[in-house]
Amino acid sequence: MVEEKVPPRTIKVVDRRRFTTEGDPRNDVPSEAGPVPGVEPPPSPGAASSPQPTPGQRPPVQTEPALDPAEAPTSQARPATPTSPEFVELIASLAQQAEILLLGAEDLPAEPEQARRIIDYLAALESKTAGNVSREEQQILSNVLFQLRALFVQGR
């Protein structure tokens, strides 16, 4: 087969911002920017079906509509995140280690300070993953922390 030489594509960057870095309106930009040539707008939310790409064509990129700050999702209205078995298993593993350290085991004495450290790890995990876990995962983590903290206080 003979390879055809394809001329390299050139990319033209056009600054379509309407304001300068100082916040002043720019005079060289039209007030209403038109569509970008060669780029199809995303389908409207009310569209019944999206067009299927032809072979060799990329599928259209789905974009999220911009949210009004007044309509920002709250912790009650966040989208459903699937529960990760690995995340739940991590919580269970750390909780089990903390419980063994709090109560001791057959040949192991109780070590409450080591247990407190694992409880602190779980608390850090809770604060750093807030809003990024499913409701079930959040509930499991909160319950485990409550139970471990209560067990820690009882042992003192």
Side-chain angles (χ1 to χ4, degrees):
M1 291 175 61
V2 177
E3 289 187 34
E4 296 179 25
K5 289 196 173 191
V6 178
R9 288 182 25 175
T10 59
I11 298 174
K12 179 180 178 184
V13 178
V14 178
D15 187 358
R16 294 183 184 262
R17 293 178 288 187
R18 291 189 268 171
F19 299 97
T20 64
T21 56
E22 290 80 29
D24 299 324
R26 290 181 43 193
N27 296 329
D28 59 338
V29 176
S31 60
E32 287 297 318
V36 178
V39 176
E40 292 184 31
S44 62
S49 65
S50 60
Q52 296 297 322
T54 59
Q57 184 183 36
R58 287 186 176 170
V61 177
Q62 298 292 329
T63 59
E64 300 258 345
L67 292 177
D68 183 4
E71 298 174 6
T74 62
S75 60
Q76 299 297 327
R78 68 178 174 219
T81 306
T83 301
S84 166
E86 293 83 9
F87 186 74
V88 174
E89 189 177 334
L90 173 66
I91 294 169
S93 175
L94 289 171
Q96 185 178 25
Q97 290 176 33
E99 186 178 12
I100 289 172
L101 288 168
L102 283 170
L103 302 175
E106 291 178 16
D107 297 334
L108 299 172
E111 294 185 35
E113 288 307 311
Q114 292 294 332
R116 182 189 58 80
R117 199 169 187 148
I118 293 177
I119 294 169
D120 290 344
Y121 293 157
L122 285 166
L125 191 63
E126 181 182 43
S127 69
K128 293 296 183 180
T129 60
N132 293 323
V133 293
S134 70
R135 292 184 199 281
E136 182 183 8
E137 292 167 334
Q138 182 62 42
Q139 190 66 37
I140 290 169
L141 187 52
S142 296
N143 289 341
V144 164
L145 273 170
F146 176 79
Q147 292 172 356
L148 288 174
R149 287 172 175 157
L151 198 58
F152 181 79
V153 170
Q154 287 175 358
R156 290 210 154 223

